[in-house]
Amino acid sequence: MTDTSTRQARIAWFERICGDLHERFVPLTDGEPASYIPELATVDPDRFAIAAVTTDGERVGVGDHDHAFTIQSISKLLLYGLALETHGRDHVLERVGVAPTGDSFNAIALDDDRNRAPNPMVNAGAIAITDLVVGATLDDRVEAVRSMYERYLGHRPEVDREVWTSERATGNRNRAIAYLMLSRGIIDDRVEQTLDLYFAQCSVLITADDLATIGATIANHGVHPVTGERVVRRDVTRDMLTVALTCGMYDYAGEWAYTVGIPAKSGVGGGIVGMIPGAGAIAVYSPRLDAFGNSVRGLRVFEELSDEFEMHVFDPDSPWRGTD
Ligand code: GLU
């Protein structure tokens, strides 16, 4: 077989696997869409997509893979990369650590010993990271975030205005966290502006295809697999992937690392992206969540894939490990 036909056969094989998993988990209707952001409760709970993109730009998509949903917490990973790239590790580590907390993502809790937010994947850390977005005005800062998204997505991001408005109207817990950090000198005195930006970054619309492309860019050490553009610095992707593995799945992260073992980030919108360094990324979208805030079907799909195809990053026999 030629290289191209081998590649096509591999893609067709993986598409069949994703199709089978999709069919198998459609009947799984445990969990509920997030409702603490009222607008999120209005999504169609039965939507279900699996998508994958390889580091050389091959793609697979089954189910509702082109249906748009809000990125939510997955944005935290991208903004973390932006902050590291803009300010460097030391500056970022002064404000946000890297230790998993075991607390819920919206806990009003800081690292008191070091006077910083615990990690960039809980809301405190994510808000402190958003505070680090540079710009004299809100518009400049929105532009910085927008152009970051544009590089990952290959097109201008769209914001779900209803979700954004809904988060702003009800995000008082995030306000409490932010003002606590202001009082401790962790973030600057522009709290409402930073929160606005944070709510906007969470309300960006993506599809499962987009999400897999974002993940594949990170898995490809920062180079977009389709446009070939460098989106984020190579050394920064190492830190992004590490934090994804240790803190990416809310307080389920430890079990996830043990059982699934794929650096991943989930969001309360129902998305999960898992990144296999050097190989590619898989995205699942299904808005019914478990008590941790992770997509129920998403968890099952990743468990199956990791188990059956040795995708755990520490699997000694993993066939997926890239050479790059
Ligand atoms: N915008 C959401 C919040 O701040 C993001 C949470 C999430 O996806 O975990 O509550």
Side-chain angles (χ1 to χ4, degrees):
M1 274 207 281
T2 63
D3 263 10
T4 322
S5 56
T6 320
R7 237 158 80 177
Q8 276 166 356
R10 260 181 33 214
I11 295 298
W13 166 77
F14 199 64
E15 185 142 42
R16 265 197 314 278
I17 287 163
C18 292
D20 289 350
L21 285 172
H22 188 273
E23 207 178 295
R24 192 161 138 206
F25 291 123
V26 163
L28 179 61
T29 55
D30 294 349
E32 289 301 327
S35 58
Y36 75 99
I37 300 168
E39 194 58 31
L40 285 185
T42 67
V43 300
D44 175 355
D46 294 324
R47 294 275 182 189
F48 186 19
I50 307 176
V53 174
T54 63
T55 48
D56 45 18
E58 303 283 357
R59 49 178 68 249
V60 160
V62 299
D64 300 311
H65 61 100
D66 54 5
H67 176 77
F69 57 96
T70 55
I71 189 166
Q72 294 299 338
S73 260
I74 303 166
S75 68
K76 296 171 178 175
L77 186 61
L78 311 189
L79 272 281
Y80 185 52
L82 181 65
L84 288 170
E85 204 164 54
T86 311
H87 301 279
R89 241 192 191 177
D90 292 346
H91 186 84
V92 173
L93 280 171
E94 268 170 35
R95 290 161 178 77
V96 184
V98 287
T101 61
D103 293 331
S104 74
F105 67 95
N106 56 4
I108 305 179
L110 300 175
D111 171 354
D112 292 324
D113 294 338
R114 302 285 297 268
N115 194 40
R116 60 183 183 179
N119 71 60
M121 302 294 120
V122 291
N123 287 6
I127 294 166
I129 290 295
T130 301
D131 181 58
L132 290 174
V133 174
V134 174
T137 62
L138 177 61
D139 283 352
D140 294 346
R141 299 175 78 208
V142 167
E143 196 42 49
V145 174
R146 184 178 286 152
S147 85
M148 177 206 73
Y149 271 118
E150 197 170 344
R151 290 195 301 279
Y152 277 106
L153 294 172
H155 59 82
R156 298 283 274 182
E158 265 179 60
V159 168
D160 183 322
R161 301 226 152 231
E162 275 77 40
V163 173
W164 187 16
T165 311
S166 187
E167 291 210 37
R168 273 153 125 180
T170 58
N172 289 327
R173 203 177 163 89
N174 285 325
R175 247 169 226 116
I177 295 170
Y179 279 103
L180 177 64
M181 291 195 293
L182 173 65
S183 78
R184 302 268 183 92
I186 299 170
I187 62 172
D188 283 351
D189 193 0
R190 50 177 178 182
V191 172
E192 291 301 329
Q193 192 192 82
T194 292
L195 283 170
D196 241 14
L197 190 56
Y198 170 74
F199 295 139
Q201 96 193 21
C202 290
S203 306
V204 164
L205 285 163
I206 48 155
T207 63
D209 289 335
D210 292 331
L211 190 52
T213 307
I214 291 171
T217 302
I218 301 168
N220 198 27
H221 315 299
V223 175
H224 194 290
V226 179
T227 65
E229 201 188 330
R230 170 151 303 280
V231 174
V232 58
R233 232 168 50 209
R234 187 179 168 92
D235 60 315
V236 163
T237 61
R238 193 189 87 158
D239 293 346
M240 293 168 82
L241 288 164
T242 307
V243 166
L245 184 62
T246 55
C247 312
M249 298 297 289
Y250 304 114
D251 37 331
Y252 188 69
E255 280 98 324
W256 173 274
Y258 194 76
T259 54
V260 178
I262 297 174
K265 183 70 200 94
S266 75
V268 292
I272 301 181
V273 60
M275 295 151 287
I276 301 157
I282 298 157
V284 180
Y285 168 59
S286 170
R288 292 182 200 270
L289 310 179
D290 65 14
F292 293 103
N294 294 316
S295 166
V296 175
R297 285 173 176 157
L299 278 188
R300 297 292 294 120
V301 168
F302 274 102
E303 275 167 12
E304 290 298 317
L305 284 173
S306 172
D307 214 40
E308 217 164 303
F309 303 102
E310 296 159 320
M311 286 181 176
H312 194 297
V313 280
F314 303 129
D315 193 313
D317 302 318
S318 173
W320 301 91
R321 198 157 301 130
T323 45
D324 180 13

